[in-house]
Amino acid sequence: IGVKLITCSLVHRNMGGGEVYKVQTYLKVRQAYNLEGKSERRIANELNVDRRTVRKMLEYSSPPGYKRQKDAVSPKLDPYKEWIDQVLETDKKVHRKQRHTVKRIHHRLRDELGFTGCYTIVRGYVSKKLLKSKEMFVPLAHEPGMAQCDFGEAQVTIAGKSCKAHYLVMQLPYSDAVFVKAYPAENTEAFCDGHASAFIFFGGVPYRILYDNTTIAVKKILDNGMREQTSGFISLKSHYLFTEGFANPARGNEKGGVENLVGFVRRNFMVPRPQYDSFDAFNEHLEHCCRQRQAEVKRGHDETVAQRLLQEQFLPLPGTPYECCRIRSGKINSQGLVRFGNNDYSVPTYIGQQKVLVKGYVDRVVIIFDHKIIAEHKRSYGAEEICFNPLHYLKLLERKIGAFEQAAPLKGWQLPPVFKRVQNALCRKDKKDGLRAYVRILRLLESHTVAELTRALESAVELDIVDEMAIRHLLKRQLEGRPPNLSLLNHPAISLVNVDLPDLSVYGQLCASGRA
């Protein structure tokens, strides 16, 4: 069967041969018959078209499209349609990955019910049934001050390392404004920080925010449909005073705007794959993309997103910022470590094995004892990692100097080369006493910077007076801005004092009298 090139979307398929004709062929046939008075036979011969096809072309001014009058093989499937309908209905209650495929339905019809028809018949019937059963939705209108929130994931490269970014997307459906911020993990502190940042970006707090049933906000869905909410989410609501709404389980379409935006952000803001030195730099890029999008005019509107954003209705921002952290109680173990988020963080060992309060922020971990901050670390998102601050162990090492060489907190501590030179000089006479003196010098870092102590050590090495007391003196003199040599020449306001030389003959008289 020959197939002619289709240049028009309107086509007609001949019932006999199934040949496809252009709309131009219809024009030629109808002109030849109605204007030139040619017969159907002659037209068929001249155009090499079947006479029955010519007759049909005379009935229509353009190709009507092919319509099958009757499913020739459908009757074969009639006795089995009720069984197929039951299978499809049962599949609605089964996990989507364990539902029947058309191939599986055909195999069961063949093996269990003795069906002799082909796969194509079954596929055609199932396809029509699934199309008819597809859910329909009511278009929704969004009022000013409404928001939707969700998390998405994307692969990024941060500081040269490949990792997964979890980005929070908040959308205002009325104005189509959007805010995006990425984090190393999807957790309570990222959830709260994302909200706080979004509210500042929008310039206010939406009256109502719609969520899915994320475990960050929802502990449990109760039998009556109510949600038992987490303390962290309740605290966030209490600070900003917005009301919440939750989509029904597995019904992402109920917040379809932000669901679609999660994919839009990934495709448009994160392609090609983002490569940044830090999450802060990455988030600057995302915020820039959000602001650029506000210049667009969306379909069905005459104003830009930025202009419609001004029409949103917000609650005012609170006078005090929200502390975006997760608070946990903890206890210092015998090695001076406190666990948070499956990682351990060091604290000063002199505090002992006490109970403490741990605040986990997106970027740092703060440990509090007796209402005072005793340690602060950069947040680790690894697994079972230990974050040491060497200064926390120096006081203990001064007493247990035998553990110095194998002390884990000191491994990888990057100090300027002069520190090693000072250590070697102190240990030449007596290694144990020298190490203790070196530890005491390192403890100066508890109150001074590395740069300040480095300059004092370099001065000590240069003057060849590598001694603990000398180094302390040089450090103090350096901080006070005193000159290397004390001289009164540059201080004329201070009067000079002349001291007479003693009479040494008095000493001789004392010796003669036996008193010396």
Side-chain angles (χ1 to χ4, degrees):
I1 301 173
V3 180
K4 298 182 179 179
L5 179 64
I6 301 173
T7 59
C8 179
S9 61
L10 298 174
V11 298
H12 171 69
R13 295 179 184 270
N14 185 287
M15 286 290 292
E19 193 165 355
V20 181
Y21 295 100
K22 304 175 186 178
V23 69
Q24 288 90 337
T25 307
Y26 275 72
L27 175 62
K28 291 179 181 179
V29 170
R30 292 173 62 80
Q31 284 179 337
Y33 184 82
N34 293 298
L35 300 181
E36 300 173 16
K38 294 181 181 180
S39 66
E40 294 178 4
R41 181 189 298 274
R42 183 178 175 184
I43 295 171
N45 291 334
E46 289 179 354
L47 299 179
N48 194 25
V49 176
D50 191 274
R51 284 181 62 188
R52 291 174 297 174
T53 303
V54 171
R55 192 172 297 116
K56 290 175 183 177
M57 289 182 176
L58 295 175
E59 296 178 9
Y60 301 98
S61 58
S62 60
Y66 169 66
K67 295 182 180 179
R68 178 178 254 174
Q69 300 298 321
K70 186 179 179 182
D71 191 346
V73 292
S74 176
K76 241 184 198 185
L77 196 63
D78 286 346
Y80 307 97
K81 287 181 178 178
E82 186 176 347
W83 184 87
I84 295 175
D85 293 346
Q86 184 61 40
V87 168
L88 296 177
E89 186 64 29
T90 304
D91 272 357
K92 294 179 180 179
K93 303 174 184 178
V94 178
H95 190 279
R96 62 184 180 85
K97 292 187 177 181
Q98 286 185 275
R99 294 173 185 169
H100 285 75
T101 61
V102 177
K103 185 176 181 180
R104 180 58 182 155
I105 292 175
H106 178 251
H107 285 178
R108 289 192 63 190
L109 285 170
R110 182 193 63 195
D111 300 339
E112 299 175 21
L113 303 179
F115 176 66
T116 58
C118 65
Y119 167 81
T120 307
I121 301 173
V122 179
R123 183 183 63 187
Y125 178 74
V126 172
S127 297
K128 289 179 181 179
K129 289 294 295 184
L130 293 177
L131 282 174
K132 288 181 180 179
S133 63
K134 281 194 173 181
E135 187 176 3
M136 303 297 290
F137 304 101
V138 178
L140 302 178
H142 300 281
E143 299 297 324
M146 308 290 286
Q148 298 179 0
C149 184
D150 201 1
F151 264 100
E153 296 179 356
Q155 291 295 324
V156 298
T157 301
I158 302 296
K161 294 183 179 180
S162 176
C163 63
K164 183 184 291 185
H166 302 260
Y167 57 95
L168 179 138
V169 179
M170 186 174 289
Q171 183 210 21
L172 304 176
Y174 175 80
S175 62
D176 287 314
V178 63
F179 175 78
V180 184
K181 191 168 184 179
Y183 300 93
E186 181 180 343
N187 50 30
T188 298
E189 44 273 36
F191 183 83
C192 294
D193 183 80
H195 280 68
S197 301
F199 298 155
I200 293 173
F201 179 81
F202 292 137
V205 181
Y207 281 88
R208 187 171 185 270
I209 305 177
L210 181 64
Y211 303 90
D212 58 15
N213 295 282
T214 170
T215 55
I216 296 175
V218 178
K219 281 185 181 178
K220 183 181 180 182
I221 301 177
L222 306 177
D223 294 337
N224 59 1
M226 300 296 290
R227 271 71 171 173
E228 182 183 348
Q229 300 175 13
T230 62
S231 58
F233 183 61
I234 294 172
S235 174
L236 183 71
K237 289 195 307 174
S238 176
H239 188 81
Y240 289 105
L241 302 178
F242 63 85
T243 59
E244 79 289 351
F246 294 100
N248 289 316
R251 305 294 290 178
N253 58 281
E254 295 181 358
K255 53 181 184 62
V258 73
E259 289 277 347
N260 293 331
L261 267 175
V262 167
F264 174 87
V265 166
R266 187 186 297 111
R267 293 188 300 271
N268 292 273
F269 295 178
M270 304 182 190
V271 174
R273 177 172 174 153
Q275 298 186 36
Y276 290 92
D277 293 334
S278 65
F279 269 93
D280 288 339
F282 180 32
N283 284 322
E284 288 179 9
H285 160 74
L286 294 177
E287 183 172 334
H288 175 70
C289 293
C290 293
R291 293 195 185 280
Q292 277 191 320
R293 190 175 180 273
Q294 291 185 9
E296 300 176 6
V297 177
K298 296 301 178 182
R299 181 179 178 182
H301 297 280
D302 299 325
E303 298 174 306
T304 64
V305 173
Q307 290 171 328
R308 288 188 288 128
L309 178 59
L310 296 176
Q311 302 167 21
E312 294 277 5
Q313 298 176 9
F314 293 123
L315 295 167
L317 289 169
T320 57
Y322 183 71
E323 192 172 25
C324 303
C325 66
R326 181 158 41 111
I327 301 176
R328 294 286 184 271
S329 60
K331 186 178 179 181
I332 305 171
N333 66 14
S334 60
Q335 294 182 323
L337 299 171
V338 177
R339 183 158 297 177
F340 179 81
N342 203 31
N343 295 305
D344 293 324
Y345 300 88
S346 68
V347 299
T349 54
Y350 66 82
I351 295 176
Q353 301 182 40
Q354 301 284 342
K355 291 184 178 180
V356 293
L357 194 67
V358 186
K359 291 185 176 182
Y361 297 83
V362 170
D363 57 346
R364 66 191 190 281
V365 173
V366 176
I367 303 171
I368 299 170
F369 173 69
D370 197 20
H371 307 291
K372 295 179 181 179
I373 296 176
I374 59 172
E376 184 171 335
H377 292 266
K378 182 181 178 181
R379 177 74 179 269
S380 171
Y381 285 95
E384 300 179 1
E385 292 185 351
I386 300 177
C387 300
F388 288 118
N389 181 344
L391 299 179
H392 293 162
Y393 294 87
L394 294 179
K395 186 173 183 179
L396 182 63
L397 277 173
E398 186 180 348
R399 184 161 52 89
K400 299 186 176 183
I401 199 62
F404 182 88
E405 298 293 344
Q406 293 181 296
L410 303 187
K411 302 298 181 183
W413 192 10
Q414 300 296 325
L415 292 172
V418 69
F419 279 79
K420 188 64 176 177
R421 293 175 63 186
V422 169
Q423 177 188 342
N424 293 337
L426 291 171
C427 293
R428 284 195 187 105
K429 293 181 180 179
D430 188 306
K431 184 174 183 180
K432 185 173 288 189
D433 289 341
L435 282 178
R436 278 202 175 93
Y438 179 63
V439 169
R440 287 194 293 269
I441 292 171
L442 289 178
R443 290 194 62 189
L444 293 172
L445 292 173
E446 296 172 356
S447 54
H448 301 83
T449 67
V450 173
E452 291 170 345
L453 183 55
T454 299
R455 288 196 296 271
L457 297 182
E458 288 173 346
S459 297
V461 172
E462 184 180 351
L463 297 170
D464 196 20
I465 49 170
V466 180
D467 175 82
E468 180 187 348
M469 296 307 297
I471 291 170
R472 287 179 179 274
H473 170 73
L474 290 170
L475 180 60
K476 184 177 180 181
R477 187 183 68 179
Q478 170 187 297
L479 295 176
E480 292 176 354
R482 286 187 279 154
N485 296 311
L486 185 60
S487 174
L488 299 179
L489 296 177
N490 297 324
H491 301 274
I494 302 177
S495 58
L496 296 175
V497 177
N498 295 315
V499 180
D500 295 332
L501 293 175
D503 183 5
L504 298 180
S505 62
V506 175
Y507 180 74
Q509 295 173 4
L510 291 173
C511 289
S513 63
R515 296 179 183 180

